[in-house]
Amino acid sequence: MHPGIHHPAGGGEPPAAVRRRTLGNGLRVVLAPFWPGPRAAVGVHYGVGFRSELPGQEGLAHLFEHLMFRGSESLPDGGFFDGIHPLAGTANGTTHQDYTDYVQVLPAAALEQALFREADRMRAPLFTETQLAAQLSGVAREIAHVRDDRPYGGCPWPLLPRVLFRDFAHAHDGYGDIERLRRTTVADCAAFFDAHYTPANAVLTVVGPFAPEDVWPLVERHFGDIPGRRPLSPPPAHEPPPSEDTWLTCREPGVERTAVALGHRLPDPVTALPDYLAHMVLARLLGRPDGGGTDGLPAPVSAGCGFFGPLDTRGPDALVVTALLPPGLPPTGFRQALADWAARHSTPGAVAERAVRAAAFLGAQHRRTHAGLQERCRALGRLELLYGRAELVDEVPELLEGTGPEAVAAAAAGLAGAPAGVLVLEPGRERTRPAAPAPAPAPLVPTAGRSAAELGRSPLGPRPLPPLSKQPEAALDRAHETRLANGLRVVAVPDARSRTVELRLRIPLGGVGWSRPREVARLLRTLEHVTGTGAAAARLGGELRLTTDGQWADVGGWAPADARTELFGAVARLLDADRLAGTAVTGHRSPGLPPERHMDEVLRLHWLRGRVADPAAESQAALHRAVFAPRGALLVVVGDADPERLAEEVGAAMDAWTAPGAAVPAPPGDAPAAVLVVGSGGARRPSHGGTAHVTLSCPETAGGSLDPARYLATALFGGHPDSRLARWCRESGNPAHHMYAGRDTVADRARSLVRLSVPRTSMAPAVAGVRAQMRRLATEPPAPPEVAAVARYCAAQLLSAFDSPAMLADALRHTLAAGRDLDWVVRRPRLLRAVDGEAVTAAAHALYLASEMTAVALTEGEPASTEGELRAALKGERTTPPLAMVESHP
């Protein structure tokens, strides 16, 4: 199939209006054509969820979602993923109250294959005792992780619904009891499929860079011959609202504070959508008051519409409020405080401009979220299935923005007097939870359907997977790059998908900042507080935050396109050191660092030692001037505006940014190899005596035209799901070993690296084995099939940068800050496909053998012993038995 018309990211109009058809078997199809990106998404939403379960079936809909990935007539034994993973695609499913969805995201060339997979499991799924047992084990682990084994497990879902509702369909636990689920048979699964997984109970959604006339024949080819069946009728959605508060109190061991979750019934989004949207705005006011305070409540709260998000059910749902209570505040006191808060906000004057700003933020946030490929596909299918209105995905933002103070005040007034379901989890010695209802004697489904064996066979038998079509290439049409007089590099890319502007500013910290990362982290926290940039961005209807990883200072955020000049001004205020006049350098406690950050900090200080003049900065203003310099910084803007105009507006806001006293990056120098062993006390996740974290680093020489080969060599070695290191860990029987390879920047130089997280007793053989694998890759060219597989995966993975404006901005920041040019983002997939095995071997030699490696180890134990083991391992001397080695070629 020809891919049709392709509008590259960075130009053209927003995605076109949806098109729809209904096939003869009842399958509804929603098509969003001309998506401006090189990938496609295919989703299927089935009208079956927790509320479709009968008594005794609790958890079956979720278990069934897992089973649907394990095999079908043409793709048995887990073959569903065989063509997805090599193309860096993703496939996932989720189970909700009224639907179960399945979504694939892949390069556009794989659209027909994605349709084939979904059609094959809709036509003839395979259910076997072996797969059922495996998925029961997986579901048991998920239930334990999400509900049973974590503090406050089940709060607010799935405990709160049984407080708020009375009907079984709405109140029961959608996870169920694992011991009861273990009684499920393949016959039960076949009956559940026949009852619910019919074309007439599903919506197929396709989003991609295609013309409709190219997609409709494919849909008909793969789905048209699936027999139509009448689905089982869904349970009644209506339940009368409660007449008084209902309470459930449980005990929770190992916690110090009481958690409370309250649920208030929401208006019906079908019959009262404006009222529903007013509650969304009210929830924003309740959970995110201006200025970051509690707005008169005795504890900060989190609030939102729906247990799984707004507009996610066709039946009754809840506005959910959760909080951790301070000592001395009883749950009844918090319940009353919440009612008082709602009463205070029950007049238009009490909410006024805050409601307008909250509505604007929610509208802009909705557009931004659904400018993402996967999110848009899921929303289109969900809204079509639940409400018959896929177009709501583009109508909701304007409806939200039109929600005024009067409607929000009316919602608050209703909340003030409405009964609630209240769930309390208080500290106690033993966990208590309400007992699950006794299993019902009724069968799992009202009538028996086909057997599992009959279900897995279609009249025509297995079908071949269709070939890939031509892949449309990504493009950055009309991208504009300039450099301001102060040295700031500005890159602007037009993108009309979300009607917002994404901003990413990346500043190298320079010698002083690299040598004082903890103080820089405190500086950013102070700067954000003093300038109030977060609150300012929220008032614009967007977000803005500052972060640092010890190498860069990053300012990232977004705002509606018509508020972009104010967003640029807020960023400019962050760059003004005079705003910190009089603030001290100290005053904040630095949090612990993840092991990777901690090891990189040690390496950075080692490589900079003796090369950085580090005068004491007596104030945060002085430190700001020392590290925040426009020269060498990068600002990326992706948004709904002319790129040259965007660059001009950035220049007008940023041209006053100067840092005459800023330290330039440290001059390049020798990077002496060393073995550095540090304790885990400064790490956020200590080793607990059993795990060693090791980073092997090598300074990288200038790459130039060798960059594609180095990129591919890194991926083949340790940056690919089936990389050499991944296969080594898997095939040598070491599931506790985690290793990966990468390339980045530390201080003033590029580096290649390998990270290891292994049991302490295996540290030395693991490092020795990694070095042996490096030497093998650097001397024995990998076979063409291995190179081709990794190149195909990496080229496809790079296309995901174009899935949304936010992802594109992130990718440009990362790539351009690493020294690549703008065109590299587009050309890289094509260049990778031209790399051969000889080039990979030469690149591996340059990455791993041209210079001596420095090892940084984060572990507990005797440092001298650890250092000795690592030195011997790096030299290839075996101090302990080696790990089993895997062959280089697949």
Side-chain angles (χ1 to χ4, degrees):
M1 185 199 78
H2 189 275
I5 300 173
H6 173 228
H7 295 288
E13 297 299 318
V18 300
R19 320 289 174 86
R20 53 166 56 82
R21 287 185 180 179
T22 301
L23 304 188
N25 55 19
L27 177 67
R28 288 169 284 173
V29 185
V30 172
L31 170 62
F34 306 122
W35 172 260
R39 300 215 302 170
V42 172
V44 178
H45 286 67
Y46 292 93
V48 54
F50 309 136
R51 286 174 173 161
S52 303
E53 297 168 346
L54 301 175
Q57 279 188 327
E58 296 92 324
L60 184 56
H62 176 232
L63 171 63
F64 200 84
E65 171 223 312
H66 283 243
L67 280 171
M68 283 291 283
F69 286 99
R70 303 323 307 169
S72 58
E73 182 179 42
S74 305
L75 300 167
D77 302 321
F80 185 92
F81 291 103
D82 288 348
I84 296 175
H85 290 159
L87 295 175
T90 60
N92 199 6
T94 57
T95 311
H96 298 243
Q97 290 117 307
D98 295 317
Y99 69 89
T100 304
D101 66 350
Y102 303 89
V103 180
Q104 300 177 59
V105 182
L106 306 103
L111 169 68
E112 188 175 3
Q113 292 188 351
L115 294 171
F116 175 90
R117 291 186 194 92
E118 293 297 348
D120 202 60
R121 61 178 172 180
M122 183 183 288
R123 179 187 297 108
L126 296 178
F127 302 128
T128 68
E129 296 289 352
T130 300
Q131 291 291 4
L132 177 57
Q135 295 315 303
L136 280 166
S137 297
V139 167
R141 289 191 297 270
E142 183 178 341
I143 292 175
H145 175 71
V146 174
R147 189 192 65 186
D148 296 341
D149 293 346
R150 66 182 179 90
Y152 304 112
C155 177
W157 189 87
L159 289 174
L160 185 56
R162 71 168 57 186
V163 188
L164 187 61
F165 301 115
R166 289 291 172 262
D167 289 354
F168 172 84
H170 312 313
H172 78 275
D173 182 344
Y175 272 128
D177 176 78
I178 188 59
E179 295 307 319
R180 188 182 301 175
L181 277 174
R182 292 189 195 280
R183 304 170 197 164
T184 305
T185 66
V186 292
D188 297 330
C189 297
F192 192 83
F193 179 90
D194 256 347
H196 299 290
Y197 277 67
T198 75
N201 196 34
V203 171
L204 168 69
T205 309
V206 181
V207 183
F210 313 102
E213 57 267 25
D214 291 326
V215 178
W216 295 130
L218 299 179
V219 171
E220 187 66 46
R221 178 187 307 166
H222 294 291
F223 290 89
D225 67 342
I226 299 175
R229 306 187 310 278
R230 184 185 299 275
L232 191 69
S233 299
H238 178 69
E239 179 181 326
S243 57
E244 60 182 4
D245 282 358
T246 53
W247 289 71
L248 172 64
T249 300
C250 303
R251 289 191 295 274
E252 186 75 359
V255 301
E256 297 181 354
R257 298 169 65 183
T258 296
V260 176
L262 294 92
H264 288 271
R265 289 283 292 274
L266 283 167
D268 186 343
V270 175
T271 61
L273 182 58
D275 293 340
Y276 186 101
L277 298 178
H279 280 75
M280 288 179 60
V281 178
L282 184 67
R284 168 75 183 177
L285 292 182
L286 179 59
R288 293 288 299 272
D290 289 347
T294 59
D295 198 22
L297 289 171
V301 303
S302 174
C305 288
F307 286 103
F308 296 96
L311 298 174
D312 198 66
T313 73
R314 64 163 62 96
D317 210 350
L319 188 155
V320 180
V321 181
T322 59
L324 286 175
L325 302 187
L329 177 65
T332 52
F334 179 77
R335 170 70 181 98
Q336 184 60 52
L338 184 62
D340 294 343
W341 180 94
R344 291 197 305 273
H345 291 77
S346 61
T347 62
V351 292
E353 290 300 315
R354 291 178 56 211
V356 174
R357 289 197 299 269
F361 174 86
L362 291 173
Q365 183 186 57
H366 181 99
R367 288 192 185 93
R368 181 177 187 254
T369 298
H370 295 93
L373 176 59
Q374 177 172 276
E375 293 79 5
R376 187 170 188 82
C377 181
R378 294 187 66 202
L380 287 168
R382 179 185 80 246
L383 296 172
E384 182 70 18
L385 179 79
L386 297 178
Y387 312 122
R389 292 278 297 147
E391 294 86 353
L392 276 173
V393 73
D394 293 319
E395 296 172 1
V396 162
E398 292 188 7
L399 293 173
L400 280 167
E401 291 161 352
T403 301
E406 295 81 6
V408 177
L415 191 69
V422 186
L423 169 67
V424 180
L425 271 65
E426 61 185 16
R429 289 187 175 181
E430 296 182 359
R431 171 176 279 193
T432 62
R433 295 290 188 268
L444 287 179
V445 292
T447 58
R450 295 171 287 175
S451 70
E454 293 170 331
L455 200 67
R457 296 193 298 266
S458 67
L460 297 180
R463 310 176 187 208
L465 184 72
L468 298 172
S469 66
K470 182 180 178 181
Q471 173 61 38
E473 293 194 358
L476 286 172
D477 292 353
R478 299 175 56 221
H480 179 73
E481 181 173 358
T482 188
R483 192 175 295 273
L484 303 185
N486 59 10
L488 176 64
R489 183 184 181 189
V490 179
V491 175
V493 178
D495 194 316
R497 285 179 284 185
S498 65
R499 290 167 56 180
T500 62
V501 165
E502 299 284 340
L503 179 146
R504 307 289 187 271
L505 173 63
R506 171 157 281 189
I507 307 167
L509 297 180
V512 171
W514 293 328
S515 63
R516 302 167 66 176
R518 309 297 177 94
E519 293 182 20
V520 171
R522 292 194 293 269
L523 167 68
L524 296 190
R525 289 194 293 271
T526 301
L527 187 61
E528 194 166 20
H529 173 73
V530 169
T531 61
T533 52
R539 289 192 291 271
L540 298 175
E543 295 177 306
L544 195 63
R545 65 192 188 104
L546 290 77
T547 59
T548 180
D549 61 356
Q551 178 67 28
W552 317 93
D554 282 312
V555 181
W558 62 275
D562 58 6
R564 61 183 184 270
T565 56
E566 291 87 348
L567 179 68
F568 300 157
V571 174
R573 290 194 291 275
L574 291 171
L575 306 174
D576 181 3
D578 291 340
R579 294 178 179 273
L580 293 174
T583 58
V585 174
T586 58
H588 295 279
R589 181 180 178 183
S590 296
L593 297 176
E596 297 82 5
R597 286 272 307 277
H598 192 61
M599 289 185 288
D600 285 353
E601 182 178 297
V602 171
L603 177 67
R604 191 175 292 113
L605 293 173
H606 170 70
W607 279 1
L608 288 171
R609 186 166 294 131
R611 297 193 293 119
V612 177
D614 187 12
E618 66 280 1
S619 69
Q620 291 211 3
L623 183 61
H624 185 293
R625 294 186 182 95
V627 300
F628 275 44
R631 191 164 302 279
L634 167 73
L635 192 147
V636 174
V637 186
V638 176
D640 187 14
D642 177 79
E644 293 189 20
R645 183 174 178 183
L646 280 174
E648 291 174 358
E649 292 170 350
V650 168
M654 307 289 176
D655 62 359
W657 176 25
T658 60
V664 297
D670 294 333
V675 173
L676 310 170
V677 180
V678 292
S680 61
R684 185 179 298 159
R685 298 188 300 272
S687 65
H688 302 295
T691 301
H693 304 280
V694 181
T695 299
L696 305 177
S697 301
C698 189
E700 185 176 338
T701 57
S705 61
L706 300 178
D707 234 10
R710 293 185 182 186
Y711 188 99
L712 201 58
T714 303
L716 187 150
F717 187 61
H720 174 261
D722 197 34
S723 68
R724 296 278 181 92
L725 294 181
R727 280 188 282 127
W728 179 24
C729 294
R730 184 173 63 248
E731 296 176 15
S732 60
N734 290 286
H737 290 57
H738 301 281
M739 306 178 187
Y740 69 90
R743 297 164 70 209
D744 62 9
T745 303
V746 170
D748 54 352
R749 54 172 45 87
R751 69 154 173 179
S752 56
L753 70 131
V754 174
R755 295 202 196 274
L756 302 84
S757 177
V758 298
R760 174 62 182 83
T761 54
S762 299
M763 181 192 68
V767 171
V770 167
R771 289 295 285 168
Q773 291 279 34
M774 288 176 178
R775 287 189 288 270
R776 177 173 292 185
L777 182 60
T779 55
E780 301 175 13
E786 184 180 16
V787 177
V790 177
R792 180 172 61 248
Y793 177 90
C794 292
Q797 183 185 48
L798 292 167
L799 299 177
S800 65
F802 295 86
D803 281 1
S804 73
M807 293 179 69
L808 181 57
D810 288 338
L812 289 173
R813 172 181 60 185
H814 177 78
T815 300
L816 301 180
R820 279 89 182 185
D821 59 36
L822 186 61
D823 197 35
W824 173 249
V825 178
V826 175
R827 292 186 298 113
R828 184 164 47 180
R830 183 169 63 253
L831 294 173
L832 292 178
R833 291 190 288 266
V835 176
D836 60 18
E838 295 286 348
V840 168
T841 294
H845 187 279
L847 291 172
Y848 304 123
L849 301 184
S851 303
E852 290 189 72
M853 301 200 92
T854 290
V856 182
L858 178 64
T859 183
E860 295 176 356
E862 177 56 45
S865 174
T866 300
E867 180 180 349
E869 291 179 44
L870 286 174
R871 288 188 183 279
L874 290 171
K875 292 179 180 179
E877 301 171 6
R878 292 180 178 173
T879 59
T880 50
L883 294 176
M885 302 295 289
V886 298
E887 291 298 319
S888 297
H889 310 315

